[in-house]
Amino acid sequence: MTEQGARWTAEQVLALAPDDPSRRAGSKLGSAGPWSGTGTGDQGAVWGLCKGSGRTPYRTVVDTTGPASTCSCPSRKFPCKHALGLLLLWAGGGVDAVGEVPDWAETWLAGRRARTGSAARSATGADAGPADPEAARRRAERRAARITAGAEELERRLADLLRGGLAAAEHAGYGLWEETAARMVDAQAPGLAQRVRELGATAGSGAGWPVRLLEECALTHLLDRAWLSADRLPGPLAATVRSRVGLSAPPEGPTVRDHWLVLAQYDTADSRLTTRRVWLHGRASGRTALLLSFGAAGRAPQLALPVGVVLDAELRPYASGGGLRAELVERFAPPAGPAAAPVGGPVGAALDAYGHALGEDPWLDAWPVTLTDVVPARADYGWQLADAPSGGARDTSGGAASDRAREAVPLTRAAQAHPALWRLIALSGGGPVTVFGEVGHQGFTPLAAWSADAPGETVPLV
């Protein structure tokens, strides 16, 4: 433990890496050899000089309360390999506490504190200037009209597709789908554009693709019709529809202060955008929250939180997204830890939770759940997570059900191909574990796990 909170583990540090090459390069810089002038302060700052190929060492500073970092190296990755190496050195106890911060480090830290304070004031509306509600209303009406025109055009194209037969979609090529997606972008409906691109990726994507394409066409048609009838929908469903077509809305409602355990963090990317998802769980409120951060294609988003730490922070939820998505408003203390797993339940309860959420949002791909006392087991179709036998005995049946009340959920294709599956199997050792992840129509994706032997250690699985 340090003055700025719990000292991170090497695994938590490496979880911040934007990609595997950065992870490998940062690991090589995690020893004292290339470093000089290192130190850590009482407000979560870590700094040091790293010897590079040139005459001048790279100046690296990390604010662990963010976390955020800066480095004089030319890398465009965040965090860079030098920041990762410095954090690994600090996590291993190789950085001593120093009373005085160097001027070059203090300059960046002071600027960051000023920017953070300004952002907090903006989030609370303290710096908000006068707004023109009439102009905002006219802009919203113009955009709604464009989206309506785009939804109507998409309806016609879906009708043409079904009239001509799904088999023709395999030979049409991706260009037609991309042209339709571009039309939705012109209509200022990025959510519809994304669904069109998913349709194009589904066509000809392997065995059973016509069934999957028909399912996706039906969901897209449902979203179109919901937008065209949004004025007649209940308020929460209308907010979900607006969010799904791509209309962003600011977070609203009262803030929630809690001690939030960082459950998981992972990135998804396409040719335009990198999206980072960070899952949190409030220890007092029992709420699960999702933080989203975005970066340009090829660039890691700024927000990065080590898995397994606890944040004393205040969040403000968004109206859409089932109440999961939230904005990080303010942090009141450096990250601490460790913490026990969230309270979960059996497989059946998780599936019920997903079904209820699906009733609120028909376009929902997955829902966050925590499975308690489950065992990885092999089935004919691949790996699954099954309720452990009564009494928590180790499962030596190879997946055969020994208790009629036990249920199981299959892992998604991506999860079964991910190397972290073997980490989960090793963590279990045939015994029950607690697993947090996302359950959806394609199965379950494990994101973090806890063993009975170390209930306070969060093991990342992404």
Side-chain angles (χ1 to χ4, degrees), residues 25-72:
S27 298
K28 295 178 181 179
L29 297 175
S31 60
W35 292 98
S36 62
T38 59
T40 179
D42 58 1
Q43 295 185 356
V46 186
W47 60 86
L49 302 172
C50 186
K51 182 180 179 181
S53 56
R55 297 176 56 185
T56 304
Y58 297 123
R59 296 177 171 181
T60 308
V61 190
V62 180
D63 179 2
T64 61
T65 64
S69 64
T70 185
C71 185
S72 60

mmCIF file of all heavy atoms in Angstrom, residues 25-72:
data_model
loop_
_atom_site.group_PDB
_atom_site.id
_atom_site.type_symbol
_atom_site.label_atom_id
_atom_site.label_comp_id
_atom_site.label_asym_id
_atom_site.label_seq_id
_atom_site.Cartn_x
_atom_site.Cartn_y
_atom_site.Cartn_z
ATOM 1 N N ALA A 25 6.383 -4.479 -25.301
ATOM 2 C CA ALA A 25 7.431 -3.458 -25.202
ATOM 3 C C ALA A 25 7.481 -2.857 -23.811
ATOM 4 O O ALA A 25 8.559 -2.582 -23.270
ATOM 5 C CB ALA A 25 7.191 -2.370 -26.254
ATOM 6 N N GLY A 26 6.309 -2.623 -23.212
ATOM 7 C CA GLY A 26 6.281 -2.070 -21.863
ATOM 8 C C GLY A 26 6.876 -3.017 -20.843
ATOM 9 O O GLY A 26 7.550 -2.582 -19.897
ATOM 10 N N SER A 27 6.651 -4.317 -21.034
ATOM 11 C CA SER A 27 7.193 -5.302 -20.098
ATOM 12 C C SER A 27 8.723 -5.266 -20.088
ATOM 13 O O SER A 27 9.357 -5.469 -19.043
ATOM 14 C CB SER A 27 6.701 -6.703 -20.466
ATOM 15 O OG SER A 27 5.290 -6.793 -20.368
ATOM 16 N N LYS A 28 9.325 -4.998 -21.237
ATOM 17 C CA LYS A 28 10.787 -4.934 -21.312
ATOM 18 C C LYS A 28 11.347 -3.719 -20.569
ATOM 19 O O LYS A 28 12.529 -3.713 -20.213
ATOM 20 C CB LYS A 28 11.220 -4.887 -22.774
ATOM 21 C CG LYS A 28 10.881 -6.153 -23.561
ATOM 22 C CD LYS A 28 11.300 -6.018 -25.019
ATOM 23 C CE LYS A 28 10.946 -7.275 -25.806
ATOM 24 N NZ LYS A 28 11.318 -7.161 -27.238
ATOM 25 N N LEU A 29 10.511 -2.705 -20.354
ATOM 26 C CA LEU A 29 10.970 -1.490 -19.677
ATOM 27 C C LEU A 29 10.550 -1.467 -18.210
ATOM 28 O O LEU A 29 10.629 -0.434 -17.556
ATOM 29 C CB LEU A 29 10.405 -0.253 -20.382
ATOM 30 C CG LEU A 29 10.844 -0.046 -21.829
ATOM 31 C CD1 LEU A 29 10.121 1.144 -22.451
ATOM 32 C CD2 LEU A 29 12.350 0.178 -21.895
ATOM 33 N N GLY A 30 10.097 -2.600 -17.688
ATOM 34 C CA GLY A 30 9.610 -2.644 -16.316
ATOM 35 C C GLY A 30 10.674 -2.923 -15.274
ATOM 36 O O GLY A 30 10.337 -3.193 -14.120
ATOM 37 N N SER A 31 11.929 -2.852 -15.651
ATOM 38 C CA SER A 31 13.021 -3.036 -14.695
ATOM 39 C C SER A 31 13.756 -1.718 -14.507
ATOM 40 O O SER A 31 13.569 -0.763 -15.266
ATOM 41 C CB SER A 31 13.992 -4.114 -15.191
ATOM 42 O OG SER A 31 14.555 -3.739 -16.438
ATOM 43 N N ALA A 32 14.623 -1.657 -13.510
ATOM 44 C CA ALA A 32 15.275 -0.386 -13.161
ATOM 45 C C ALA A 32 16.334 0.031 -14.165
ATOM 46 O O ALA A 32 16.731 1.208 -14.183
ATOM 47 C CB ALA A 32 15.907 -0.512 -11.766
ATOM 48 N N GLY A 33 16.817 -0.885 -15.019
ATOM 49 C CA GLY A 33 17.942 -0.592 -15.909
ATOM 50 C C GLY A 33 17.842 0.694 -16.692
ATOM 51 O O GLY A 33 18.734 1.557 -16.613
ATOM 52 N N PRO A 34 16.774 0.910 -17.485
ATOM 53 C CA PRO A 34 16.724 2.111 -18.330
ATOM 54 C C PRO A 34 16.239 3.368 -17.609
ATOM 55 O O PRO A 34 16.175 4.430 -18.224
ATOM 56 C CB PRO A 34 15.723 1.701 -19.423
ATOM 57 C CG PRO A 34 14.810 0.730 -18.751
ATOM 58 C CD PRO A 34 15.653 -0.007 -17.763
ATOM 59 N N TRP A 35 15.919 3.294 -16.325
ATOM 60 C CA TRP A 35 15.270 4.400 -15.635
ATOM 61 C C TRP A 35 16.221 5.141 -14.699
ATOM 62 O O TRP A 35 17.102 4.552 -14.079
ATOM 63 C CB TRP A 35 14.079 3.892 -14.825
ATOM 64 C CG TRP A 35 12.961 3.406 -15.686
ATOM 65 C CD1 TRP A 35 12.685 2.125 -16.035
ATOM 66 C CD2 TRP A 35 11.977 4.215 -16.341
ATOM 67 N NE1 TRP A 35 11.595 2.063 -16.861
ATOM 68 C CE2 TRP A 35 11.130 3.342 -17.063
ATOM 69 C CE3 TRP A 35 11.718 5.590 -16.386
ATOM 70 C CZ2 TRP A 35 10.070 3.797 -17.822
ATOM 71 C CZ3 TRP A 35 10.653 6.045 -17.124
ATOM 72 C CH2 TRP A 35 9.839 5.161 -17.831
ATOM 73 N N SER A 36 15.994 6.437 -14.612
ATOM 74 C CA SER A 36 16.703 7.282 -13.652
ATOM 75 C C SER A 36 15.757 8.393 -13.231
ATOM 76 O O SER A 36 14.756 8.667 -13.897
ATOM 77 C CB SER A 36 17.976 7.879 -14.275
ATOM 78 O OG SER A 36 17.643 8.720 -15.383
ATOM 79 N N GLY A 37 16.065 9.032 -12.106
ATOM 80 C CA GLY A 37 15.254 10.162 -11.642
ATOM 81 C C GLY A 37 13.816 9.801 -11.358
ATOM 82 O O GLY A 37 12.914 10.640 -11.510
ATOM 83 N N THR A 38 13.554 8.559 -10.956
ATOM 84 C CA THR A 38 12.176 8.134 -10.696
ATOM 85 C C THR A 38 11.715 8.616 -9.324
ATOM 86 O O THR A 38 12.521 8.867 -8.427
ATOM 87 C CB THR A 38 12.040 6.605 -10.769
ATOM 88 O OG1 THR A 38 12.917 6.012 -9.812
ATOM 89 C CG2 THR A 38 12.376 6.104 -12.154
ATOM 90 N N GLY A 39 10.424 8.709 -9.175
ATOM 91 C CA GLY A 39 9.852 9.100 -7.886
ATOM 92 C C GLY A 39 8.350 9.001 -7.926
ATOM 93 O O GLY A 39 7.730 8.926 -8.991
ATOM 94 N N THR A 40 7.754 8.987 -6.755
ATOM 95 C CA THR A 40 6.306 8.997 -6.620
ATOM 96 C C THR A 40 5.917 9.950 -5.504
ATOM 97 O O THR A 40 6.618 10.045 -4.486
ATOM 98 C CB THR A 40 5.763 7.576 -6.344
ATOM 99 O OG1 THR A 40 4.333 7.635 -6.201
ATOM 100 C CG2 THR A 40 6.359 6.979 -5.089
ATOM 101 N N GLY A 41 4.824 10.689 -5.716
ATOM 102 C CA GLY A 41 4.371 11.668 -4.746
ATOM 103 C C GLY A 41 3.166 11.191 -3.968
ATOM 104 O O GLY A 41 2.708 10.056 -4.116
ATOM 105 N N ASP A 42 2.631 12.080 -3.139
ATOM 106 C CA ASP A 42 1.525 11.706 -2.269
ATOM 107 C C ASP A 42 0.164 11.972 -2.898
ATOM 108 O O ASP A 42 -0.858 11.816 -2.247
ATOM 109 C CB ASP A 42 1.626 12.438 -0.923
ATOM 110 C CG ASP A 42 1.626 13.950 -1.085
ATOM 111 O OD1 ASP A 42 1.528 14.421 -2.236
ATOM 112 O OD2 ASP A 42 1.725 14.653 -0.059
ATOM 113 N N GLN A 43 0.139 12.380 -4.185
ATOM 114 C CA GLN A 43 -1.130 12.628 -4.860
ATOM 115 C C GLN A 43 -1.310 11.730 -6.073
ATOM 116 O O GLN A 43 -2.036 12.067 -7.003
ATOM 117 C CB GLN A 43 -1.238 14.106 -5.271
ATOM 118 C CG GLN A 43 -1.292 15.053 -4.083
ATOM 119 C CD GLN A 43 -1.523 16.493 -4.504
ATOM 120 O OE1 GLN A 43 -1.577 16.810 -5.699
ATOM 121 N NE2 GLN A 43 -1.662 17.369 -3.535
ATOM 122 N N GLY A 44 -0.632 10.600 -6.071
ATOM 123 C CA GLY A 44 -0.832 9.632 -7.140
ATOM 124 C C GLY A 44 0.055 9.808 -8.346
ATOM 125 O O GLY A 44 -0.184 9.163 -9.367
ATOM 126 N N ALA A 45 1.073 10.657 -8.283
ATOM 127 C CA ALA A 45 1.951 10.894 -9.429
ATOM 128 C C ALA A 45 3.164 9.970 -9.369
ATOM 129 O O ALA A 45 3.711 9.697 -8.300
ATOM 130 C CB ALA A 45 2.410 12.342 -9.463
ATOM 131 N N VAL A 46 3.564 9.478 -10.537
ATOM 132 C CA VAL A 46 4.788 8.688 -10.697
ATOM 133 C C VAL A 46 5.525 9.262 -11.895
ATOM 134 O O VAL A 46 4.910 9.536 -12.932
ATOM 135 C CB VAL A 46 4.479 7.195 -10.934
ATOM 136 C CG1 VAL A 46 5.765 6.373 -10.962
ATOM 137 C CG2 VAL A 46 3.529 6.653 -9.881
ATOM 138 N N TRP A 47 6.829 9.457 -11.769
ATOM 139 C CA TRP A 47 7.585 10.054 -12.867
ATOM 140 C C TRP A 47 8.958 9.394 -12.971
ATOM 141 O O TRP A 47 9.416 8.704 -12.058
ATOM 142 C CB TRP A 47 7.747 11.566 -12.656
ATOM 143 C CG TRP A 47 8.483 11.920 -11.384
ATOM 144 C CD1 TRP A 47 9.831 12.026 -11.198
ATOM 145 C CD2 TRP A 47 7.882 12.180 -10.111
ATOM 146 N NE1 TRP A 47 10.122 12.338 -9.893
ATOM 147 C CE2 TRP A 47 8.947 12.449 -9.204
ATOM 148 C CE3 TRP A 47 6.572 12.220 -9.643
ATOM 149 C CZ2 TRP A 47 8.712 12.743 -7.863
ATOM 150 C CZ3 TRP A 47 6.339 12.515 -8.311
ATOM 151 C CH2 TRP A 47 7.402 12.770 -7.434
ATOM 152 N N GLY A 48 9.603 9.593 -14.132
ATOM 153 C CA GLY A 48 10.932 9.052 -14.331
ATOM 154 C C GLY A 48 11.481 9.420 -15.696
ATOM 155 O O GLY A 48 10.749 9.872 -16.583
ATOM 156 N N LEU A 49 12.794 9.226 -15.857
ATOM 157 C CA LEU A 49 13.490 9.459 -17.123
ATOM 158 C C LEU A 49 13.911 8.116 -17.681
ATOM 159 O O LEU A 49 14.575 7.327 -16.987
ATOM 160 C CB LEU A 49 14.717 10.344 -16.895
ATOM 161 C CG LEU A 49 14.454 11.724 -16.272
ATOM 162 C CD1 LEU A 49 15.771 12.410 -15.929
ATOM 163 C CD2 LEU A 49 13.637 12.584 -17.207
ATOM 164 N N CYS A 50 13.520 7.842 -18.908
ATOM 165 C CA CYS A 50 13.816 6.543 -19.531
ATOM 166 C C CYS A 50 14.828 6.727 -20.657
ATOM 167 O O CYS A 50 14.615 7.546 -21.568
ATOM 168 C CB CYS A 50 12.536 5.908 -20.074
ATOM 169 S SG CYS A 50 12.772 4.224 -20.707
ATOM 170 N N LYS A 51 15.905 5.975 -20.608
ATOM 171 C CA LYS A 51 16.938 6.053 -21.630
ATOM 172 C C LYS A 51 16.421 5.458 -22.928
ATOM 173 O O LYS A 51 15.897 4.345 -22.966
ATOM 174 C CB LYS A 51 18.184 5.306 -21.172
ATOM 175 C CG LYS A 51 19.337 5.376 -22.162
ATOM 176 C CD LYS A 51 20.557 4.624 -21.649
ATOM 177 C CE LYS A 51 21.694 4.682 -22.646
ATOM 178 N NZ LYS A 51 22.885 3.920 -22.165
ATOM 179 N N GLY A 52 16.545 6.226 -24.009
ATOM 180 C CA GLY A 52 16.133 5.761 -25.319
ATOM 181 C C GLY A 52 17.315 5.649 -26.256
ATOM 182 O O GLY A 52 18.473 5.544 -25.825
ATOM 183 N N SER A 53 17.043 5.712 -27.546
ATOM 184 C CA SER A 53 18.117 5.582 -28.533
ATOM 185 C C SER A 53 18.880 6.885 -28.718
ATOM 186 O O SER A 53 19.995 6.880 -29.230
ATOM 187 C CB SER A 53 17.534 5.133 -29.878
ATOM 188 O OG SER A 53 16.513 6.043 -30.306
ATOM 189 N N GLY A 54 18.294 8.003 -28.297
ATOM 190 C CA GLY A 54 18.962 9.294 -28.447
ATOM 191 C C GLY A 54 19.726 9.697 -27.192
ATOM 192 O O GLY A 54 19.807 8.952 -26.208
ATOM 193 N N ARG A 55 20.273 10.924 -27.211
ATOM 194 C CA ARG A 55 21.067 11.399 -26.087
ATOM 195 C C ARG A 55 20.194 11.836 -24.921
ATOM 196 O O ARG A 55 20.583 11.736 -23.764
ATOM 197 C CB ARG A 55 21.947 12.569 -26.536
ATOM 198 C CG ARG A 55 22.976 12.204 -27.594
ATOM 199 C CD ARG A 55 23.732 13.436 -28.052
ATOM 200 N NE ARG A 55 24.366 14.133 -26.923
ATOM 201 C CZ ARG A 55 25.008 15.293 -27.042
ATOM 202 N NH1 ARG A 55 25.073 15.885 -28.232
ATOM 203 N NH2 ARG A 55 25.570 15.850 -25.992
ATOM 204 N N THR A 56 18.987 12.326 -25.250
ATOM 205 C CA THR A 56 18.103 12.852 -24.208
ATOM 206 C C THR A 56 17.099 11.790 -23.782
ATOM 207 O O THR A 56 16.399 11.228 -24.623
ATOM 208 C CB THR A 56 17.342 14.086 -24.730
ATOM 209 O OG1 THR A 56 18.283 15.053 -25.200
ATOM 210 C CG2 THR A 56 16.482 14.687 -23.627
ATOM 211 N N PRO A 57 17.022 11.500 -22.497
ATOM 212 C CA PRO A 57 16.048 10.487 -22.047
ATOM 213 C C PRO A 57 14.621 11.013 -22.172
ATOM 214 O O PRO A 57 14.378 12.225 -22.174
ATOM 215 C CB PRO A 57 16.429 10.261 -20.586
ATOM 216 C CG PRO A 57 17.096 11.527 -20.162
ATOM 217 C CD PRO A 57 17.822 12.044 -21.377
ATOM 218 N N TYR A 58 13.699 10.080 -22.272
ATOM 219 C CA TYR A 58 12.285 10.445 -22.369
ATOM 220 C C TYR A 58 11.742 10.775 -20.986
ATOM 221 O O TYR A 58 11.945 10.019 -20.025
ATOM 222 C CB TYR A 58 11.481 9.300 -22.991
ATOM 223 C CG TYR A 58 11.882 8.986 -24.412
ATOM 224 C CD1 TYR A 58 12.294 7.707 -24.769
ATOM 225 C CD2 TYR A 58 11.835 9.968 -25.395
ATOM 226 C CE1 TYR A 58 12.656 7.412 -26.076
ATOM 227 C CE2 TYR A 58 12.196 9.684 -26.709
ATOM 228 C CZ TYR A 58 12.611 8.412 -27.032
ATOM 229 O OH TYR A 58 12.971 8.129 -28.322
ATOM 230 N N ARG A 59 11.036 11.896 -20.909
ATOM 231 C CA ARG A 59 10.400 12.301 -19.651
ATOM 232 C C ARG A 59 8.996 11.711 -19.592
ATOM 233 O O ARG A 59 8.162 12.031 -20.436
ATOM 234 C CB ARG A 59 10.341 13.823 -19.558
ATOM 235 C CG ARG A 59 11.711 14.486 -19.491
ATOM 236 C CD ARG A 59 11.576 16.010 -19.482
ATOM 237 N NE ARG A 59 12.840 16.671 -19.205
ATOM 238 C CZ ARG A 59 13.001 17.986 -19.120
ATOM 239 N NH1 ARG A 59 11.936 18.780 -19.307
ATOM 240 N NH2 ARG A 59 14.187 18.499 -18.863
ATOM 241 N N THR A 60 8.750 10.884 -18.603
ATOM 242 C CA THR A 60 7.481 10.169 -18.489
ATOM 243 C C THR A 60 6.833 10.493 -17.146
ATOM 244 O O THR A 60 7.493 10.426 -16.106
ATOM 245 C CB THR A 60 7.697 8.652 -18.599
ATOM 246 O OG1 THR A 60 8.454 8.368 -19.795
ATOM 247 C CG2 THR A 60 6.378 7.917 -18.655
ATOM 248 N N VAL A 61 5.565 10.848 -17.186
ATOM 249 C CA VAL A 61 4.804 11.140 -15.970
ATOM 250 C C VAL A 61 3.473 10.405 -16.057
ATOM 251 O O VAL A 61 2.817 10.414 -17.098
ATOM 252 C CB VAL A 61 4.527 12.657 -15.804
ATOM 253 C CG1 VAL A 61 3.963 12.931 -14.405
ATOM 254 C CG2 VAL A 61 5.765 13.479 -16.060
ATOM 255 N N VAL A 62 3.070 9.782 -14.950
ATOM 256 C CA VAL A 62 1.782 9.084 -14.869
ATOM 257 C C VAL A 62 1.020 9.602 -13.660
ATOM 258 O O VAL A 62 1.586 9.697 -12.563
ATOM 259 C CB VAL A 62 1.962 7.557 -14.757
ATOM 260 C CG1 VAL A 62 0.599 6.872 -14.678
ATOM 261 C CG2 VAL A 62 2.761 7.017 -15.932
ATOM 262 N N ASP A 63 -0.227 9.961 -13.865
ATOM 263 C CA ASP A 63 -1.137 10.292 -12.770
ATOM 264 C C ASP A 63 -1.997 9.058 -12.528
ATOM 265 O O ASP A 63 -2.908 8.761 -13.305
ATOM 266 C CB ASP A 63 -2.000 11.504 -13.147
ATOM 267 C CG ASP A 63 -2.989 11.881 -12.055
ATOM 268 O OD1 ASP A 63 -2.982 11.223 -10.992
ATOM 269 O OD2 ASP A 63 -3.777 12.812 -12.255
ATOM 270 N N THR A 64 -1.708 8.306 -11.467
ATOM 271 C CA THR A 64 -2.413 7.051 -11.227
ATOM 272 C C THR A 64 -3.853 7.258 -10.787
ATOM 273 O O THR A 64 -4.636 6.296 -10.786
ATOM 274 C CB THR A 64 -1.691 6.211 -10.153
ATOM 275 O OG1 THR A 64 -1.653 6.938 -8.923
ATOM 276 C CG2 THR A 64 -0.278 5.893 -10.602
ATOM 277 N N THR A 65 -4.226 8.477 -10.420
ATOM 278 C CA THR A 65 -5.627 8.712 -10.043
ATOM 279 C C THR A 65 -6.513 8.787 -11.263
ATOM 280 O O THR A 65 -7.742 8.711 -11.137
ATOM 281 C CB THR A 65 -5.771 10.014 -9.241
ATOM 282 O OG1 THR A 65 -5.417 11.139 -10.069
ATOM 283 C CG2 THR A 65 -4.878 9.997 -8.012
ATOM 284 N N GLY A 66 -5.936 8.952 -12.469
ATOM 285 C CA GLY A 66 -6.736 9.038 -13.688
ATOM 286 C C GLY A 66 -7.247 7.688 -14.153
ATOM 287 O O GLY A 66 -8.425 7.433 -14.127
ATOM 288 N N PRO A 67 -6.369 6.778 -14.569
ATOM 289 C CA PRO A 67 -4.973 7.125 -14.798
ATOM 290 C C PRO A 67 -4.799 7.891 -16.107
ATOM 291 O O PRO A 67 -5.610 7.767 -17.021
ATOM 292 C CB PRO A 67 -4.283 5.760 -14.868
ATOM 293 C CG PRO A 67 -5.341 4.837 -15.370
ATOM 294 C CD PRO A 67 -6.643 5.353 -14.838
ATOM 295 N N ALA A 68 -3.759 8.693 -16.157
ATOM 296 C CA ALA A 68 -3.403 9.447 -17.351
ATOM 297 C C ALA A 68 -1.885 9.566 -17.379
ATOM 298 O O ALA A 68 -1.226 9.428 -16.340
ATOM 299 C CB ALA A 68 -4.050 10.823 -17.350
ATOM 300 N N SER A 69 -1.336 9.807 -18.552
ATOM 301 C CA SER A 69 0.119 9.864 -18.663
ATOM 302 C C SER A 69 0.530 10.800 -19.772
ATOM 303 O O SER A 69 -0.253 11.134 -20.672
ATOM 304 C CB SER A 69 0.691 8.462 -18.921
ATOM 305 O OG SER A 69 0.252 7.964 -20.169
ATOM 306 N N THR A 70 1.790 11.212 -19.704
ATOM 307 C CA THR A 70 2.414 11.971 -20.779
ATOM 308 C C THR A 70 3.854 11.514 -20.905
ATOM 309 O O THR A 70 4.448 11.027 -19.936
ATOM 310 C CB THR A 70 2.361 13.485 -20.496
ATOM 311 O OG1 THR A 70 2.871 14.204 -21.632
ATOM 312 C CG2 THR A 70 3.200 13.854 -19.285
ATOM 313 N N CYS A 71 4.388 11.635 -22.106
ATOM 314 C CA CYS A 71 5.759 11.212 -22.348
ATOM 315 C C CYS A 71 6.315 12.043 -23.497
ATOM 316 O O CYS A 71 5.578 12.403 -24.426
ATOM 317 C CB CYS A 71 5.807 9.717 -22.680
ATOM 318 S SG CYS A 71 7.481 9.038 -22.859
ATOM 319 N N SER A 72 7.595 12.325 -23.448
ATOM 320 C CA SER A 72 8.219 13.122 -24.512
ATOM 321 C C SER A 72 8.602 12.280 -25.719
ATOM 322 O O SER A 72 9.162 12.809 -26.682
ATOM 323 C CB SER A 72 9.464 13.834 -23.965
ATOM 324 O OG SER A 72 10.413 12.899 -23.476
#
